[in-house]
Amino acid sequence: MNTVILKFGGTSVADNIKLNVVAKKIISLKNKAKNVVVVVSAQGKTTNQLIKEAQELSAIPEEREMDMLLSTGEQITASKLSILLNRKGYPAVSLTGWQAGIKTNSIHTSAKIEQIYTKRIEQELEKGNIVVVTGFQGLNEEQDITTLGRGGSDTTAVALQVALKADKCYIFSDVDGIYSADPNMITMAKRLDEISFDEMQEVADSGAKVLHDRCIQMGKKFDCDIIAKSTFSDEGGTKICQQIESSEVKSIVKNENLIAIEIENQQFYDIYQCLLENNILVEAFQKREKVIEFRIKKSEYNKVIELLDSNYPTCQVKQKDLMKLSVVGYGIIQDNQVLNQVIKILKKYKIEILEVNLTLAKIEILVKEINNEIVKILHEQLIK
Ligand code: ASP
Ligand code: MG
C-alpha cells in the first residue's frame, strides 16, 4: 500500500491513555503502508466546551471568531499525537488545515473545501514523516481560518484521500462500524458489513451522528470507499461503497433534534431569504393559508429566533417539537411492501403521523412523538 488516511474521532483521542492506543494503531499501519496521513478531531468534548464558553460571553458570537476558536481544538490533538509518535521513534509532523494547503470558501462555521494544495504534505511524506493534519478546518481567500461544520473532520479525511489519491481511508471511532439502528437505543441492532453511499447519505441526513454527510457525498463523487472501524478493536468495520443492487431495509433512524416553526402573516420570500442568507438549513418550507411553516435543527433554534426577532419584531412565532423516523434501504420504495408494514405498525400503536416523504433510498415519517419501544418493534419486523 502506498498511502493511507487514518482519521480519529474525539472519543478516540480524549486523553493521553487513548492517544497511546491511537499511536499504536498508527504505528501498526505505518509498518504496512509507505505513507500515512492522520486526521484528528478535537479531544473528547473540547469543541462543545469551547462553544459553551463563547456563548457565555455572547449569545451570538461572530462566526469568524468561532472558527478561530474552534479550530484550536484539533491543533491540540495533532501536536500531542505528533509528540507521542516522535517519542516512540516514528517521525511525525503536525500540520494545521492551512499548513496542509486546505483552501475553503468563506462560509464561516460551514465552509466547503475548494482545493487542497498537497505540496507540503507530500514533502513531509517524502521525508518519511507521518503527517498529522488537524481535521475540520481550512483557510479562505482572505486568509481567515474557517471550519467545515460540526463533525467535519471526516470530510477533511475523505478530501485528503481524494487529493492524495490514497489507497484507503479509515474513519476510526469508538464504534466498530455502521449499525442498523443506534445500538445504544436498540440492543439487537446489527453491524453492517457494507452500506452504499446513497444509503449512508440517507442515514446521515436522518440525523444519525455517524459520519459527516459531506464526506459521504465526496466518497460517492470520487468513488473512494470509506471504511468505518473501531479504534479499540481490530474486528468489525463497515465499508461504505458504491451501490450493489438490493432492496432490503438497512437501517432505522429516529431523529429528535428537530423543531417545527410556524409564523403568521409574513411574506414567504422575505422570511425564506432571511433564513437562507444566514445559512440556516431549512427543511420543508411551505405556506398554508396565512401560515408559513418550516423545520430546523433544534441546535439552530436560538439563532433563528434571534434573526426573526431582529428582522420582523412583530411576527408571532410558534414552535412544535416533532420527531422523524427514517427507514433506509435503496429500492425499498419500489413496491409498497415495506411502507405498508411500517404504516401498519404505526397505526397499531396509535402513532400520530404528520407527514410521509419517500426518496429512492428512504421512507421518512414525521410524527409527533414515538418511543424507543416502537422503534424496536419496527427494527424487529423490518430488518432480517
Ligand atoms: N471537533 C469538531 C466537532 O466536534 C469536528 C469533528 O470532530 O469532526 O464537531
Ligand atoms: Mg465525528
Side-chain angles (χ1 to χ4, degrees):
M1 250 182 327
N2 240 346
T3 305
V4 291
I5 315 285
L6 317 175
K7 185 258 164 179
F8 293 93
T11 346
S12 301
V13 293
D15 53 37
N16 284 355
I17 295 173
K18 289 189 170 164
L19 282 174
N20 269 283
V21 177
V22 165
K24 243 194 197 155
K25 191 128 229 166
I26 296 170
I27 289 168
S28 81
L29 281 146
K30 175 66 187 162
N31 291 332
K32 291 185 204 140
K34 184 165 166 263
N35 301 321
V36 173
V37 177
V38 179
V39 175
V40 289
S41 286
Q43 293 186 282
K45 300 249 175 282
T46 304
T47 311
N48 287 352
Q49 181 59 27
L50 291 172
I51 293 175
K52 190 170 153 255
E53 287 170 20
Q55 283 173 344
E56 281 164 12
L57 299 171
S58 160
I60 311 180
E62 295 71 32
E63 291 182 330
R64 180 194 179 278
E65 301 309 324
M66 285 310 282
D67 279 353
M68 187 77 168
L69 177 66
L70 298 194
S71 63
T72 61
E74 274 66 14
Q75 205 169 318
I76 294 172
T77 321
S79 46
K80 282 186 182 170
L81 189 55
S82 296
I83 290 170
L84 182 59
L85 287 164
N86 280 313
R87 199 216 68 213
K88 285 176 179 280
Y90 284 79
V93 60
S94 60
L95 297 177
T96 58
W98 49 104
Q99 288 173 318
I102 300 175
K103 289 279 182 241
T104 72
N105 65 14
S106 285
I107 304 180
H108 282 290
T109 77
S110 55
K112 291 228 164 86
I113 298 175
E114 290 181 334
Q115 202 41 280
I116 303 185
Y117 298 100
T118 51
K119 199 167 158 209
R120 176 73 192 273
I121 298 182
E122 279 160 356
Q123 282 171 348
E124 297 297 342
L125 290 172
E126 212 44 24
K127 290 186 218 159
N129 280 324
I130 296 171
V131 180
V132 186
V133 179
T134 54
F136 171 60
Q137 58 194 264
L139 202 66
N140 70 13
E141 229 177 15
E142 291 81 41
Q143 313 299 311
D144 281 330
I145 296 170
T146 54
T147 64
L148 309 180
R150 297 304 307 270
S153 299
D154 297 339
T155 295
T156 305
V158 179
L160 284 171
Q161 177 188 18
V162 173
L164 295 166
K165 301 188 178 62
D167 303 282
K168 287 221 158 74
C169 176
Y170 293 96
I171 308 270
F172 288 105
S173 70
D174 54 343
V175 283
D176 64 349
I178 310 298
Y179 275 73
S180 58
D182 178 355
N184 296 317
M185 180 167 85
I186 314 267
T187 42
M188 67 199 174
K190 58 170 192 173
R191 188 181 47 74
L192 306 167
D193 289 331
E194 278 189 11
I195 186 167
S196 72
F197 289 118
D198 290 320
E199 289 166 333
M200 194 61 220
Q201 184 71 55
E202 294 291 10
V203 170
D205 288 350
S206 303
K209 291 180 203 72
V210 273
L211 282 184
H212 197 229
D213 52 353
R214 278 165 32 212
C215 88
I216 306 159
Q217 293 162 18
M218 209 180 281
K220 182 179 175 187
K221 182 168 169 195
F222 295 96
D223 197 10
C224 292
D225 295 357
I226 303 167
I227 302 155
K229 263 178 102 69
S230 164
T231 308
F232 307 105
S233 129
D234 288 330
E235 306 301 312
T238 300
K239 184 158 99 177
I240 302 126
C241 51
Q242 285 299 2
Q243 182 65 48
I244 306 148
E245 200 170 41
S246 79
S247 55
E248 316 163 3
V249 175
K250 292 277 179 66
S251 176
I252 299 181
V253 184
K254 171 181 158 184
N255 183 354
E256 300 182 4
N257 179 30
L258 276 177
I259 245 176
I261 306 279
E262 278 183 25
I263 308 172
E264 267 180 50
N265 288 327
Q266 291 294 330
Q267 289 304 313
F268 185 95
Y269 281 119
D270 296 348
I271 301 272
Y272 204 10
Q273 268 176 331
C274 167
L275 297 170
L276 296 180
E277 277 161 14
N278 286 283
N279 298 316
I280 304 290
L281 283 178
V282 188
E283 246 184 54
F285 198 90
Q286 53 188 302
K287 191 168 185 189
R288 290 203 195 122
E289 306 275 315
K290 287 185 173 167
V291 179
I292 292 172
E293 277 182 30
F294 55 92
R295 299 192 289 269
I296 51 166
K297 284 186 183 165
K298 271 189 185 157
S299 53
E300 297 205 296
Y301 179 73
N302 284 346
K303 187 174 169 188
V304 169
I305 293 299
E306 183 84 12
L307 270 174
L308 294 171
D309 266 357
S310 55
N311 291 295
Y312 309 96
T314 58
C315 88
Q316 300 261 348
V317 181
K318 275 195 222 153
Q319 60 156 91
K320 263 190 317 203
D321 280 340
L322 54 110
M323 292 183 186
K324 188 156 81 177
L325 183 77
S326 305
V327 178
V328 176
Y330 194 85
I332 56 167
I333 59 141
Q334 269 153 13
D335 59 41
N336 277 340
Q337 224 180 324
V338 177
L339 181 56
N340 206 358
Q341 246 177 312
V342 174
I343 298 295
K344 248 190 213 156
I345 296 167
L346 297 182
K347 183 177 174 201
K348 182 169 169 198
Y349 292 96
K350 299 192 172 59
I351 302 297
E352 189 179 335
I353 294 184
L354 305 171
E355 203 176 302
V356 178
N357 298 309
L358 307 177
T359 70
L360 211 53
K362 174 170 78 172
I363 296 169
E364 173 187 278
I365 302 186
L366 283 141
V367 294
K368 259 189 131 160
E369 207 185 339
I370 185 163
N371 69 38
N372 294 351
E373 275 315 300
I374 298 165
V375 182
K376 211 186 259 176
I377 293 166
L378 282 162
H379 188 279
E380 228 167 51
Q381 309 248 339
L382 298 174
I383 297 190
K384 302 288 165 294

